[in-house]
Amino acid sequence: MNDLLTAAEYAAIAKMMSFPENAFINGSFRPATSGKTFETVNPATGEVLAKVAACDAADVDFAVAKAKEAFDDGRWHLQSPADRKAVLLGFAKLLEQNRHELAVLESLDSGKPIRECQTVDVPDTIHTIRWHAELIDKIYDNTAPVGSNALTLVVREPIGVVGCVLPWNFPLLMLAWKIGPALAAGCSVIVKPAEQTSLTTLRVAELAHEAGVPAGVFNVVTGSGKDVGEPIGLHNDVAMVSFTGSTATGRKFLRYAADSNLKRVVLECGGKNPAVVLDDAEDLDLVAEQVVNGAFWNMGENCSATSRLIVHESIKEELLERVGAYMREWKMGDPLDPENRVGALVSIAHFEKVKSYLDQANAEELSVMYGGETDKGIFVEPTVVADVGRDSRLFQEEIFGPILSVTTFNSLSEAISLANDTPYGLAASVYTGSLRKAIKLSRDIRAGTVTVNCFGEGDATTPFGGYKESGFGGRDKSIFAHDQYTELKTIWIDVSDRSVDETVR
Ligand code: NAD
């Protein structure tokens, strides 16, 4: 349900809100073993919202022990598929009943505009949980064609205890992309939210427990990457880590796996996503609208954000004029006001990083066509930088902020070469009136998702993840995500005449 409230109604919810502070382990909230806490702030105002448990390896050990206990005694995965489905559908219903509170909590903790939280993050989170719940009693296992002397069953079994390590940019949605398939498969999870945005994860775990997800199956351990993420990565009783975050941290999880139990690792990492606009694109208004949406939605703090506009030289000026016109609709300000589409960046540290790219544009004497200003040390105006060369840092590096670089081309092969000329390969968009060219670009661009004449990430039915340094080991979303949280087992049964004879004798 996408029902927006007024700014005054959201402010009233925010005023009444109480914030979860403790880790959630084995079905209840508990402080860090060390008693330590860290502050989580509303980035838009600097106000401290809560002092959250600063957990460490001792808490990870405890949570993993409880998750393993829950997995080993089968209190979740041995329930009938229909029963587990009913619990997860009840969980989705509880999320829906609390949708306004969750949207406000998400906005306060991350700086995201309430409009997005209420119309995208929360409903997509609920839909994801529901979609995977529905899958539970619809996936069949297989038999193999081995002849009449044997019966083979090729079955999926839940992999065990799964560590889900999350980023701060879509705290609720990334949580759902992990726990939806993991819980559906029957795993126990240890979730580590990003330290900037722990609050909605804690509340969601509480609601899951209320809906009937048994104690120990859904645990949340809050704290830093070093103190919580690393011990999860190195734990010998964690069978898999599903990670979303930067490529630099993703690499560390591969090392942790190598240094411990060879746990399965699935990484969803960064992106530097191109929108390629050919000179035969049919509707430049539509292209401009999609490019603006792709570049500035969620303040560009989006792994699949359009961060490079690669446009045919002959239509550059016309397109950029329209881009400028659409950008005027994107008001920046108080995230809790549903009129605003651009909120605060997630933290002062991240603001400084994004601002450094504005400084870089100046240092490279690039032309800032629109935007370029900052406000209150935490807001960054949607910005368009023209004539960016392929060697520029603005072209090559993931900025994760509302900065769009523009580069031109003169031939299809140049467009493809530009699109592929970064270490990333997460998403891309192409705009053309020619089906042949659309297919050629879709095939030649090395990215996990290519959208044609639109910007998007697909939906719950389509896999999402990256080529090259944008990902490793699998995909989020869709039935393919479900498979990642399972092991395949072959059961080979002798049914030859010989065995029948022996039984009869
Ligand atoms: P990050 O890598 O800094 O942190 C991600 C998580 O890893 C956090 O929970 C953090 O605490 C933890 N972590 C940090 N250092 C760690 C360490 N040494 N050991 C173990 N854990 C550690 O990323 P971020 O800044 O939170 O998120 C932004 C990044 O996420 C961007 O690069 C973005 O592209 C990526 N992202 C990718 C997708 C996708 O689906 N591909 C989706 C959203 C975000």
Side-chain angles (χ1 to χ4, degrees):
M1 296 175 80
N2 298 344
D3 45 344
L4 276 170
L5 304 179
T6 64
E9 285 168 324
Y10 283 123
I13 294 175
K15 209 168 162 196
M16 299 297 294
M17 184 155 281
S18 62
F19 300 102
E21 299 197 319
N22 288 322
F24 191 84
I25 302 176
N26 202 31
S28 57
F29 285 111
R30 48 180 281 140
T33 307
S34 67
K36 289 185 186 161
T37 60
F38 65 95
E39 292 181 344
T40 190
V41 299
N42 175 348
T45 61
E47 178 198 354
V48 175
L49 297 171
K51 291 188 174 171
V52 177
C55 297
D56 59 24
D59 304 288
V60 171
D61 282 346
F62 180 66
V64 174
K66 290 296 161 191
K68 186 168 181 309
E69 209 173 285
F71 187 76
D72 288 348
D73 71 21
R75 71 188 76 162
W76 179 237
H77 72 91
L78 292 183
Q79 285 186 30
S80 78
D83 286 351
R84 283 194 294 117
K85 180 175 88 169
V87 169
L88 291 187
L89 290 177
F91 170 35
K93 197 164 193 178
L94 269 184
L95 294 172
E96 194 166 301
Q97 285 163 5
N98 289 276
R99 64 192 180 279
H100 295 304
E101 176 211 328
L102 286 169
V104 171
L105 198 53
E106 190 83 321
S107 176
L108 289 175
D109 206 16
S110 67
K112 289 158 78 86
I114 190 76
R115 166 178 288 277
E116 309 296 346
C117 298
Q118 192 76 78
T119 62
V120 181
D121 301 64
V122 172
D124 279 10
T125 295
I126 297 166
H127 181 65
T128 302
I129 300 293
R130 211 170 255 149
W131 195 89
H132 288 285
E134 287 289 357
L135 203 61
I136 296 177
D137 59 359
K138 295 173 189 65
I139 298 184
Y140 290 71
D141 287 327
N142 294 304
T143 59
V146 293
S148 58
N149 286 339
L151 172 66
T152 59
L153 309 177
V154 182
V155 297
R156 295 179 185 87
E157 293 184 343
I159 194 167
V161 176
V162 175
C164 305
V165 181
L166 305 178
W168 45 258
N169 63 335
F170 290 94
L172 274 173
L173 194 54
M174 295 304 103
L175 171 68
W177 283 12
K178 308 293 188 199
I179 62 165
L183 294 178
C187 299
S188 298
V189 298
I190 313 286
V191 181
K192 188 215 133 2
E195 45 275 49
Q196 297 86 344
T197 53
S198 307
L199 301 183
T200 45
T201 303
L202 290 168
R203 179 69 179 127
V204 166
E206 188 182 20
L207 291 172
H209 188 62
E210 198 179 319
V213 174
V217 171
F218 184 169
N219 309 280
V220 181
V221 184
T222 48
S224 71
K226 184 82 194 135
D227 291 338
V228 177
E230 182 172 330
I232 290 175
L234 287 169
H235 208 294
N236 284 324
D237 286 331
V238 172
M240 170 185 177
V241 164
S242 182
F243 167 83
T244 295
S246 62
T247 299
T249 309
R251 281 181 210 284
K252 291 188 180 156
F253 278 96
L254 293 174
R255 291 197 188 105
Y256 299 151
D259 289 344
S260 56
N261 59 343
L262 295 183
K263 57 179 63 63
R264 183 178 298 171
V265 176
V266 173
L267 307 174
E268 299 296 354
C269 301
K272 188 68 188 171
N273 316 292
V276 179
V277 187
L278 304 193
D279 53 355
D280 64 356
E282 279 173 350
D283 179 350
L284 286 191
D285 274 318
L286 176 109
V287 178
E289 188 181 3
Q290 297 286 304
V291 166
V292 169
N293 189 28
F296 305 128
W297 177 52
N298 205 47
M299 290 75 68
E301 292 173 336
N302 180 6
C303 55
S304 60
T306 300
S307 49
R308 295 180 295 144
L309 174 58
I310 297 174
V311 56
H312 195 277
E313 176 75 45
S314 65
I315 55 167
K316 173 188 145 192
E317 271 181 33
E318 202 182 341
L319 180 61
L320 288 186
E321 229 168 74
R322 293 170 200 219
V323 163
Y326 277 104
M327 285 176 68
R328 282 194 279 281
E329 294 173 12
W330 285 63
K331 281 205 231 159
M332 183 167 86
D334 177 10
L336 272 192
D337 182 341
E339 291 294 309
N340 292 326
R341 301 191 68 177
V342 183
L345 297 191
V346 73
S347 64
I348 292 171
H350 187 59
F351 168 86
E352 294 299 340
K353 179 190 160 195
V354 173
K355 187 173 171 297
S356 77
Y357 287 94
L358 296 176
D359 299 340
Q360 179 70 22
N362 287 332
E364 291 184 29
E365 297 181 354
L366 296 170
S367 144
V368 177
M369 289 198 65
Y370 304 113
E373 297 297 319
T374 63
D375 192 25
K376 300 189 183 118
I378 197 77
F379 290 83
V380 175
E381 259 189 336
T383 298
V384 176
V385 183
D387 304 323
V388 178
R390 65 168 87 210
D391 294 329
S392 167
R393 281 183 53 210
L394 274 81
F395 186 95
Q396 290 292 337
E397 295 175 14
E398 184 182 47
I399 299 174
F400 226 53
I403 301 176
L404 174 69
S405 70
V406 183
T407 307
T408 56
F409 65 88
N410 285 299
S411 68
L412 201 59
S413 58
E414 192 188 359
I416 292 166
S417 142
L418 283 165
N420 285 331
D421 194 10
T422 78
Y424 296 106
L426 189 57
S429 313
V430 301
Y431 297 88
T432 169
S434 153
L435 182 62
R436 270 176 202 281
K437 288 179 186 168
I439 298 289
K440 173 152 182 67
L441 284 162
S442 305
R443 288 185 172 152
D444 288 0
I445 294 177
R446 310 230 354 116
T449 299
V450 180
T451 54
V452 177
N453 293 331
C454 61
F455 163 78
E457 288 165 359
D459 65 16
T461 64
T462 55
F464 183 79
Y467 282 37
K468 294 156 65 179
E469 293 182 25
S470 286
F472 178 88
R475 294 288 184 263
D476 280 328
K477 302 199 299 174
S478 84
I479 201 164
F480 300 100
H482 183 97
D483 283 346
Q484 286 162 188
Y485 296 93
T486 61
E487 286 282 17
L488 273 189
K489 177 178 279 179
T490 299
I491 301 175
W492 185 288
I493 306 166
D494 179 7
V495 293
S496 62
D497 287 352
R498 182 185 54 80
S499 61
V500 172
D501 287 349
E502 280 171 5
T503 315
V504 172
R505 253 185 264 131

